[in-house]
Amino acid sequence: MISTVFTSRKSKAIAIWCGVLLLVLCFHFYVSYQRVELPGIGRSLYGDNYRDPPPYNQAGDAKTIKRPTGPKQTTPPAGPKQLYTPPKNEEKKQRFPKALIVGTGKCGTRALIDYLNMHPYVTIAKREMHFFDRDENWSRGYNWYKSQMPRSYSNQMTIEKSPSYVEHPRTPSAVRRMSKDTYILWVVKDPVVRLMSVMALQDENSNLRHAYLEYSRDGKLQIRKEYYPLWRGEYVIHLRRWLRYFPLAQIHVLDGTDLVKDPVTQIQQVESFLQLPPLLGPRNFYFNASKGFYCMVPFSTTTPQCLGSSKGRKHPVINDTVKTMLYDFFRPYNEQFFKLLGKRFNWEPKERV
């Protein structure tokens, strides 16, 4: 019986000593965590505001850390620059255009509206509406026209393009009736070069490629003055009509050739004219050497987007006699146009038109 009691006491003593040893080991383990960083232990001890530093220094030694005295205040990293901020507590709605690209066809109107479409403060009509110049659309009224516009915020500018607006006699007064504050954008081009762009649409062997020429009664070759594409290039006639309803300061005229060669400068001048934030620049244009002209690079991508294959057609070749006849025909109209506009374009004879 004495042996049994002794054995029982011995077992209890061993159990006590094992317990004490376990407590010592736990305490040592806890103190080690306070001195040597292990990934995640700081966050578990001090909460989500604690950021684990690298566990080792450059020498490879265990890095000691100090226990933070409170939550660490951090500044969130700056995100990408926000290009557009819509007004607060406002919903998009359809609005009349604040600017119109009124012409002229074959001068670069498609390029201009596509370039402007990259601007976050611009929304564009997805097609040419021809509201002011086609009777079937005009008869539908202004409310119908507005219903065709995209939804936009009040700090955005809706723009519509129909390149025959500039020549139609009704358009200037009808646009003013819509809004006397409408901005007018007009793309022009050397009228001889523009005429060749029109002729390039005709079949290479078609007589229509020479429809601007005729023979007089005495058999001499001459310009067919009543030919419609020629009349469209007599810009001064159209400008005079627009100036009856809008001041020149509200009409921005740009040369389509300059838009092709230097789109950055031209589009920045349009931004300034429209009083848009100056956002478009070299980053938005990429010169495609194989196509021979600039392509767009919208803010949403780094991949260039080029105009369709129908753009940049090869112009028909005309001989020097016909070229001289055409430049002599347009020169008086050009000079009057420059005088009225207050600036000149380089529209003298070129080796290739």
Side-chain angles (χ1 to χ4, degrees):
M1 184 172 180
I2 295 173
S3 175
T4 301
V5 172
F6 179 80
T7 302
S8 176
R9 288 180 177 177
K10 185 177 180 181
S11 298
K12 289 181 179 179
I14 292 173
I16 291 171
W17 278 107
C18 287
V20 171
L21 181 61
L22 182 61
L23 288 173
V24 170
L25 288 174
C26 288
F27 179 76
H28 177 73
F29 192 64
Y30 173 78
V31 171
S32 297
Y33 271 148
Q34 304 304 302
R35 299 180 60 242
V36 180
E37 169 61 16
L38 293 178
I41 192 66
R43 185 171 289 106
S44 65
L45 290 173
Y46 308 131
D48 291 336
N49 287 320
Y50 185 87
R51 296 183 63 186
D52 293 319
Y56 297 95
N57 59 24
Q58 293 181 352
D61 302 324
K63 181 180 178 181
T64 59
I65 61 172
K66 295 181 180 180
R67 179 172 179 152
T69 57
K72 185 176 181 180
Q73 300 296 325
T74 59
T75 303
K81 182 180 179 181
Q82 190 166 352
L83 296 174
Y84 173 72
T85 303
K88 293 183 179 179
N89 304 319
E90 182 179 305
E91 293 184 359
K92 288 184 175 182
K93 67 177 185 180
Q94 290 170 311
R95 308 168 194 272
F96 285 117
K98 295 180 181 178
L100 292 174
I101 300 176
V102 298
T104 299
K106 309 310 298 177
C107 289
T109 57
R110 168 52 57 188
L112 177 59
I113 198 167
D114 283 350
Y115 293 167
L116 285 171
N117 194 34
M118 293 190 291
H119 201 293
Y121 283 82
V122 169
T123 60
I124 67 168
K126 298 306 180 184
R127 61 188 177 92
E128 296 176 0
M129 295 309 306
H130 290 283
F131 172 63
F132 299 101
D133 63 325
R134 292 183 181 174
D135 292 341
E136 65 270 24
N137 293 332
W138 174 248
S139 63
R140 296 175 177 179
Y142 286 99
N143 287 336
W144 174 85
Y145 181 51
K146 185 168 72 171
S147 72
Q148 306 304 304
M149 295 299 111
R151 296 184 179 275
S152 63
Y153 290 109
S154 60
N155 64 349
Q156 290 181 306
M157 175 172 286
T158 300
I159 301 177
E160 193 250 322
K161 171 188 84 79
S162 291
S164 54
Y165 280 165
V166 70
E167 300 108 14
H168 197 281
R170 175 175 55 212
T171 305
S173 61
V175 171
R176 182 176 176 84
R177 200 179 315 161
M178 178 184 72
S179 173
K180 63 181 179 61
D181 298 320
T182 304
Y183 292 100
I184 307 301
L185 292 167
W186 185 8
V187 190
V188 294
K189 187 180 284 187
D190 180 331
V192 178
V193 176
R194 183 198 167 276
L195 181 64
M196 292 303 103
S197 295
V198 175
M199 297 300 101
L201 297 174
Q202 308 300 330
D203 184 82
E204 186 174 352
N205 298 316
S206 171
N207 288 331
L208 292 175
R209 281 208 166 191
H210 310 287
Y212 55 91
L213 296 172
E214 64 181 3
Y215 285 98
S216 64
R217 290 182 179 181
D218 57 1
K220 292 183 178 180
L221 190 65
Q222 64 183 18
I223 300 297
R224 184 183 165 195
K225 296 180 181 180
E226 69 276 11
Y227 187 51
Y228 177 68
L230 284 173
W231 177 76
R232 296 190 74 183
E234 297 167 10
Y235 304 127
V236 66
I237 297 174
H238 316 308
L239 180 58
R240 285 173 179 153
R241 186 186 311 113
W242 280 88
L243 289 177
R244 298 191 198 116
Y245 299 93
F246 291 92
L248 186 58
Q250 217 166 308
I251 303 173
H252 182 74
V253 181
L254 62 153
D255 189 335
T257 301
D258 294 336
L259 185 63
V260 170
K261 293 181 177 179
D262 186 10
V264 175
T265 298
Q266 295 300 312
I267 207 67
Q268 288 177 343
Q269 290 177 359
V270 172
E271 277 182 323
S272 177
F273 169 72
L274 297 176
Q275 300 184 49
L276 291 168
L279 299 177
L280 298 176
R283 175 254 183 267
N284 300 108
F285 296 94
Y286 168 79
F287 185 76
N288 188 311
S290 62
K291 291 181 176 291
F293 53 79
Y294 283 88
C295 300
M296 300 168 289
V297 186
F299 289 107
S300 59
T301 181
T302 56
T303 303
Q305 299 177 6
C306 297
L307 297 174
S309 57
S310 63
K311 304 300 179 182
R313 288 188 181 93
K314 187 177 180 180
H315 289 182
V317 178
I318 57 176
N319 63 43
D320 290 340
T321 300
V322 173
K323 186 192 302 183
T324 299
M325 290 171 59
L326 286 171
Y327 274 101
D328 287 346
F329 172 79
F330 280 115
R331 188 170 289 109
Y333 295 104
N334 292 344
E335 290 301 320
Q336 294 176 57
F337 182 62
F338 299 152
K339 184 176 180 180
L340 200 56
L341 197 59
K343 64 179 178 180
R344 301 184 64 86
F345 298 118
N346 181 24
W347 291 350
E348 288 303 313
K350 302 169 179 61
E351 183 177 346
R352 286 293 302 270
V353 295

